[in-house]
Amino acid sequence: MKHDRTPEILDKALNGGPVSADEGLTLFMEAPFGNLLAAAHSRRMQLHPEPVVTWIIDRNVNISNVCHAGCLFCNFSCSRSSSRAYITTSEEYHDKIRELFSLGGNQLLLQGGLHPDLGLQYYEKLFSGLKKDFPELRLHALGPPEIVHLAKMEGISYGEVLEILQKAGLDSLPGAGAEILSDRVRKMLSPGKCSVSEWLQVMQEAHQRHITTSATMMFGHVETLEERFQHLILLRETQALKPEQSKGFISFIPWPFQDEGTALSRKLGVFNQVSAEEYIRFIAVSRLMLHNIPNLQPSWLTVGIPVAQICLHAGANDFGSVMIEEHVVSSAGASYSADSQTLVKAIRAAGFIPARRNQDFEHLI
Ligand code: SF4
């Protein structure tokens, strides 16, 4: 009979030991559901002893829909010659920011894309202009693929791009474009996007400059199970390199690939097959493996609120944002939506105390 390794791995995780990719996979495949959730929840309570679940009001805005990355899972982007092509105007930003402020939020998640014509100066001017008009606005903007793209366009280093953007008003860098940190997968899914080492290098440069980042993962497409857990190891190792005073990756947000109408499903027959149980198990193993990333957020937008509520008992401690506007994931089938009241009610119904937070995960009164 095969020896059950899961009790000793769970024990190691509860004592803060580093769980390897192989051990994570073993937990994911073999640990009894109840034991796995109980261990992940205990780990969460060690890191965050109060039964509080945080949430935030922020707003997604796409700078443009023109992007030449060619991601097979994206229905949103188009070429610059397309009749759908747009660049968000100054008036549109102003209207969206005023609406955000009226709803009580102050953070814009500015999603970029790899626009062939917009250089660093464009973003510098955009960020400094928005900050001048709205000094209390926080910009959580772009991501490693855009930083790599701009560095190549301008012939300067990632660090120089980040410094210029930080000076112009960039507050934090989303972990966008991580998908799966495997070059094999990236070549298949996003031929025009940065490599694994480029993605990680940008994050290290950001952490050196005390720019807080987040880490993400989009799974359930062409990756192997091993590649999912290797992704977590790369995040953990990168986090271990950050300067002590830097927050580094402040949170981790994994979500299943949304397949509706994507080239990946139409041309390659790849569909999202991540079940609710599989998602919850992955959240739990993530909590146990990522001992140095403090916050874990399930994606209610893609898995729905009931599944996200169970994730709060599987190691997750943050419920993310109300969704005022989102285009990339929504255009591939993510159809859930929620306002402040819905999120607060969902957190309470799951047995936790809701606390609105800011970008640094500080509770707001
Ligand atoms: S997912 Fe983002 S980077 Fe990829 S094609 Fe769409 S807009 Fe571009």
Side-chain angles (χ1 to χ4, degrees), residues 295-328:
N295 301 293
L296 177 59
Q297 180 190 318
S299 165
W300 61 259
L301 175 71
T302 55
V303 299
I305 284 188
V307 174
Q309 284 173 307
I310 300 172
C311 292
L312 297 179
H313 295 273
N317 67 298
D318 183 66
F319 222 57
S321 173
V322 296
M323 206 44 73
I324 301 172
E325 182 178 343
E326 200 291 324
H327 294 299
V328 178

Short mmCIF file of all heavy atoms in Angstrom, two decimals, residues 295-328:
data_model
loop_
_atom_site.label_atom_id
_atom_site.label_comp_id
_atom_site.label_asym_id
_atom_site.label_seq_id
_atom_site.Cartn_x
_atom_site.Cartn_y
_atom_site.Cartn_z
N ASN A 295 -1.26 37.89 1.64
CA ASN A 295 -2.70 37.90 1.37
C ASN A 295 -3.07 37.01 0.19
O ASN A 295 -2.32 36.95 -0.80
CB ASN A 295 -3.17 39.34 1.12
CG ASN A 295 -2.89 40.22 2.33
OD1 ASN A 295 -3.48 40.04 3.39
ND2 ASN A 295 -1.94 41.14 2.20
N LEU A 296 -4.22 36.38 0.31
CA LEU A 296 -4.67 35.45 -0.73
C LEU A 296 -6.12 35.78 -1.09
O LEU A 296 -6.99 35.84 -0.22
CB LEU A 296 -4.55 34.02 -0.20
CG LEU A 296 -5.03 32.88 -1.10
CD1 LEU A 296 -4.29 32.86 -2.44
CD2 LEU A 296 -4.84 31.54 -0.40
N GLN A 297 -6.35 35.97 -2.38
CA GLN A 297 -7.67 36.42 -2.84
C GLN A 297 -8.26 35.45 -3.85
O GLN A 297 -7.66 35.21 -4.89
CB GLN A 297 -7.48 37.80 -3.50
CG GLN A 297 -8.75 38.42 -4.04
CD GLN A 297 -8.42 39.65 -4.89
OE1 GLN A 297 -7.57 40.47 -4.54
NE2 GLN A 297 -9.07 39.78 -6.02
N PRO A 298 -9.43 34.90 -3.57
CA PRO A 298 -10.09 34.09 -4.61
C PRO A 298 -10.74 35.03 -5.62
O PRO A 298 -11.05 36.18 -5.29
CB PRO A 298 -11.15 33.32 -3.83
CG PRO A 298 -11.48 34.20 -2.67
CD PRO A 298 -10.25 35.02 -2.35
N SER A 299 -10.96 34.55 -6.82
CA SER A 299 -11.52 35.40 -7.87
C SER A 299 -13.02 35.15 -7.97
O SER A 299 -13.46 34.30 -8.74
CB SER A 299 -10.82 35.09 -9.19
OG SER A 299 -11.55 35.62 -10.26
N TRP A 300 -13.82 35.91 -7.22
CA TRP A 300 -15.27 35.69 -7.28
C TRP A 300 -15.80 36.02 -8.67
O TRP A 300 -16.80 35.48 -9.11
CB TRP A 300 -16.02 36.46 -6.19
CG TRP A 300 -15.87 37.96 -6.23
CD1 TRP A 300 -15.06 38.72 -5.44
CD2 TRP A 300 -16.53 38.88 -7.11
NE1 TRP A 300 -15.17 40.04 -5.78
CE2 TRP A 300 -16.08 40.16 -6.80
CE3 TRP A 300 -17.47 38.73 -8.14
CZ2 TRP A 300 -16.51 41.30 -7.49
CZ3 TRP A 300 -17.91 39.86 -8.82
CH2 TRP A 300 -17.43 41.13 -8.49
N LEU A 301 -15.11 36.92 -9.37
CA LEU A 301 -15.55 37.32 -10.71
C LEU A 301 -15.62 36.11 -11.65
O LEU A 301 -16.50 36.00 -12.49
CB LEU A 301 -14.57 38.36 -11.28
CG LEU A 301 -14.81 38.81 -12.73
CD1 LEU A 301 -16.07 39.66 -12.84
CD2 LEU A 301 -13.62 39.58 -13.28
N THR A 302 -14.65 35.18 -11.50
CA THR A 302 -14.62 34.03 -12.42
C THR A 302 -15.25 32.77 -11.83
O THR A 302 -15.76 31.95 -12.58
CB THR A 302 -13.17 33.72 -12.85
OG1 THR A 302 -12.38 33.53 -11.67
CG2 THR A 302 -12.58 34.81 -13.70
N VAL A 303 -15.18 32.58 -10.52
CA VAL A 303 -15.72 31.32 -9.96
C VAL A 303 -17.07 31.50 -9.29
O VAL A 303 -17.72 30.51 -8.94
CB VAL A 303 -14.73 30.66 -8.97
CG1 VAL A 303 -13.42 30.31 -9.66
CG2 VAL A 303 -14.49 31.51 -7.73
N GLY A 304 -17.49 32.75 -9.11
CA GLY A 304 -18.78 33.00 -8.46
C GLY A 304 -18.63 33.16 -6.97
O GLY A 304 -17.68 32.66 -6.36
N ILE A 305 -19.58 33.87 -6.38
CA ILE A 305 -19.48 34.20 -4.95
C ILE A 305 -19.56 32.96 -4.05
O ILE A 305 -18.76 32.84 -3.12
CB ILE A 305 -20.49 35.30 -4.59
CG1 ILE A 305 -19.90 36.62 -5.15
CG2 ILE A 305 -20.73 35.39 -3.08
CD1 ILE A 305 -20.59 37.86 -4.79
N PRO A 306 -20.45 31.99 -4.29
CA PRO A 306 -20.49 30.83 -3.37
C PRO A 306 -19.16 30.07 -3.29
O PRO A 306 -18.74 29.68 -2.20
CB PRO A 306 -21.60 29.96 -3.97
CG PRO A 306 -22.48 30.91 -4.70
CD PRO A 306 -21.56 31.95 -5.26
N VAL A 307 -18.51 29.88 -4.41
CA VAL A 307 -17.21 29.17 -4.39
C VAL A 307 -16.17 30.04 -3.67
O VAL A 307 -15.38 29.55 -2.84
CB VAL A 307 -16.74 28.80 -5.82
CG1 VAL A 307 -15.35 28.20 -5.80
CG2 VAL A 307 -17.72 27.84 -6.47
N ALA A 308 -16.19 31.34 -3.96
CA ALA A 308 -15.23 32.24 -3.30
C ALA A 308 -15.46 32.25 -1.79
O ALA A 308 -14.50 32.36 -1.01
CB ALA A 308 -15.37 33.65 -3.88
N GLN A 309 -16.72 32.12 -1.37
CA GLN A 309 -17.00 32.08 0.08
C GLN A 309 -16.36 30.84 0.72
O GLN A 309 -15.82 30.92 1.83
CB GLN A 309 -18.52 32.05 0.33
CG GLN A 309 -19.16 33.41 0.15
CD GLN A 309 -20.67 33.32 0.23
OE1 GLN A 309 -21.29 32.51 -0.46
NE2 GLN A 309 -21.28 34.14 1.07
N ILE A 310 -16.41 29.71 0.05
CA ILE A 310 -15.78 28.50 0.61
C ILE A 310 -14.26 28.71 0.67
O ILE A 310 -13.60 28.28 1.62
CB ILE A 310 -16.13 27.24 -0.23
CG1 ILE A 310 -17.64 27.05 -0.23
CG2 ILE A 310 -15.45 25.99 0.34
CD1 ILE A 310 -18.14 25.97 -1.16
N CYS A 311 -13.72 29.43 -0.32
CA CYS A 311 -12.28 29.71 -0.31
C CYS A 311 -11.86 30.48 0.95
O CYS A 311 -10.71 30.38 1.38
CB CYS A 311 -11.87 30.49 -1.56
SG CYS A 311 -12.01 29.52 -3.06
N LEU A 312 -12.79 31.24 1.52
CA LEU A 312 -12.47 31.96 2.76
C LEU A 312 -12.24 30.99 3.92
O LEU A 312 -11.69 31.36 4.95
CB LEU A 312 -13.58 32.96 3.12
CG LEU A 312 -13.81 34.07 2.10
CD1 LEU A 312 -14.95 34.98 2.55
CD2 LEU A 312 -12.54 34.89 1.88
N HIS A 313 -12.68 29.75 3.76
CA HIS A 313 -12.41 28.71 4.76
C HIS A 313 -11.28 27.80 4.29
O HIS A 313 -11.04 26.75 4.86
CB HIS A 313 -13.68 27.88 5.02
CG HIS A 313 -14.77 28.71 5.63
ND1 HIS A 313 -14.89 28.90 6.99
CD2 HIS A 313 -15.76 29.43 5.05
CE1 HIS A 313 -15.92 29.70 7.22
NE2 HIS A 313 -16.46 30.04 6.08
N ALA A 314 -10.61 28.21 3.22
CA ALA A 314 -9.53 27.38 2.65
C ALA A 314 -8.25 28.21 2.55
O ALA A 314 -7.40 27.94 1.69
CB ALA A 314 -9.94 26.88 1.27
N GLY A 315 -8.13 29.23 3.40
CA GLY A 315 -6.88 29.98 3.43
C GLY A 315 -6.94 31.39 2.88
O GLY A 315 -6.03 32.18 3.11
N ALA A 316 -8.01 31.72 2.14
CA ALA A 316 -8.10 33.08 1.58
C ALA A 316 -8.55 34.07 2.65
O ALA A 316 -9.33 33.72 3.54
CB ALA A 316 -9.07 33.09 0.41
N ASN A 317 -8.06 35.30 2.57
CA ASN A 317 -8.41 36.31 3.59
C ASN A 317 -8.84 37.63 2.97
O ASN A 317 -9.06 38.60 3.68
CB ASN A 317 -7.21 36.57 4.51
CG ASN A 317 -6.07 37.22 3.77
OD1 ASN A 317 -5.53 36.64 2.83
ND2 ASN A 317 -5.70 38.43 4.16
N ASP A 318 -8.93 37.68 1.64
CA ASP A 318 -9.30 38.94 0.98
C ASP A 318 -10.33 38.62 -0.09
O ASP A 318 -10.23 37.59 -0.76
CB ASP A 318 -8.07 39.59 0.35
CG ASP A 318 -8.40 40.93 -0.27
OD1 ASP A 318 -8.75 41.86 0.48
OD2 ASP A 318 -8.32 41.05 -1.52
N PHE A 319 -11.32 39.51 -0.26
CA PHE A 319 -12.39 39.24 -1.23
C PHE A 319 -12.28 40.12 -2.47
O PHE A 319 -13.17 40.14 -3.30
CB PHE A 319 -13.75 39.42 -0.54
CG PHE A 319 -14.75 38.35 -0.92
CD1 PHE A 319 -14.46 37.00 -0.72
CD2 PHE A 319 -15.98 38.67 -1.47
CE1 PHE A 319 -15.38 36.00 -1.07
CE2 PHE A 319 -16.90 37.69 -1.81
CZ PHE A 319 -16.60 36.36 -1.61
N GLY A 320 -11.16 40.87 -2.57
CA GLY A 320 -10.94 41.65 -3.78
C GLY A 320 -11.83 42.87 -3.87
O GLY A 320 -12.25 43.43 -2.85
N SER A 321 -12.15 43.23 -5.09
CA SER A 321 -12.81 44.52 -5.34
C SER A 321 -14.21 44.36 -5.88
O SER A 321 -14.51 43.37 -6.55
CB SER A 321 -11.97 45.29 -6.36
OG SER A 321 -12.63 46.46 -6.74
N VAL A 322 -15.02 45.37 -5.62
CA VAL A 322 -16.27 45.47 -6.37
C VAL A 322 -15.85 45.67 -7.83
O VAL A 322 -14.75 46.15 -8.10
CB VAL A 322 -17.13 46.68 -5.92
CG1 VAL A 322 -17.57 46.52 -4.50
CG2 VAL A 322 -16.39 47.99 -6.09
N MET A 323 -16.69 45.30 -8.74
CA MET A 323 -16.27 45.38 -10.14
C MET A 323 -17.07 46.47 -10.84
O MET A 323 -18.22 46.26 -11.22
CB MET A 323 -16.51 44.00 -10.79
CG MET A 323 -15.63 43.71 -11.96
SD MET A 323 -13.89 44.13 -11.79
CE MET A 323 -13.32 42.88 -10.66
N ILE A 324 -16.46 47.64 -10.94
CA ILE A 324 -17.18 48.75 -11.58
C ILE A 324 -17.07 48.58 -13.10
O ILE A 324 -17.98 48.87 -13.84
CB ILE A 324 -16.60 50.11 -11.13
CG1 ILE A 324 -16.72 50.24 -9.61
CG2 ILE A 324 -17.32 51.25 -11.82
CD1 ILE A 324 -16.03 51.45 -9.03
N GLU A 325 -15.93 48.07 -13.53
CA GLU A 325 -15.73 47.93 -14.98
C GLU A 325 -14.61 46.93 -15.20
O GLU A 325 -13.55 47.03 -14.60
CB GLU A 325 -15.31 49.30 -15.54
CG GLU A 325 -15.11 49.33 -17.02
CD GLU A 325 -14.75 50.74 -17.51
OE1 GLU A 325 -14.98 51.71 -16.76
OE2 GLU A 325 -14.23 50.86 -18.61
N GLU A 326 -14.84 45.93 -16.02
CA GLU A 326 -13.78 44.96 -16.34
C GLU A 326 -14.08 44.45 -17.73
O GLU A 326 -15.21 44.13 -18.04
CB GLU A 326 -13.79 43.81 -15.31
CG GLU A 326 -12.48 43.03 -15.23
CD GLU A 326 -12.18 42.21 -16.46
OE1 GLU A 326 -13.12 41.65 -17.06
OE2 GLU A 326 -11.01 42.12 -16.84
N HIS A 327 -13.06 44.39 -18.59
CA HIS A 327 -13.34 43.98 -19.97
C HIS A 327 -12.64 42.70 -20.40
O HIS A 327 -13.21 41.92 -21.15
CB HIS A 327 -12.92 45.09 -20.95
CG HIS A 327 -13.74 46.33 -20.79
ND1 HIS A 327 -15.11 46.34 -21.00
CD2 HIS A 327 -13.41 47.59 -20.42
CE1 HIS A 327 -15.57 47.57 -20.78
NE2 HIS A 327 -14.56 48.34 -20.42
N VAL A 328 -11.39 42.48 -19.94
CA VAL A 328 -10.61 41.40 -20.54
C VAL A 328 -11.17 40.03 -20.14
O VAL A 328 -11.49 39.21 -21.00
CB VAL A 328 -9.11 41.52 -20.16
CG1 VAL A 328 -8.31 40.35 -20.74
CG2 VAL A 328 -8.54 42.83 -20.68
#
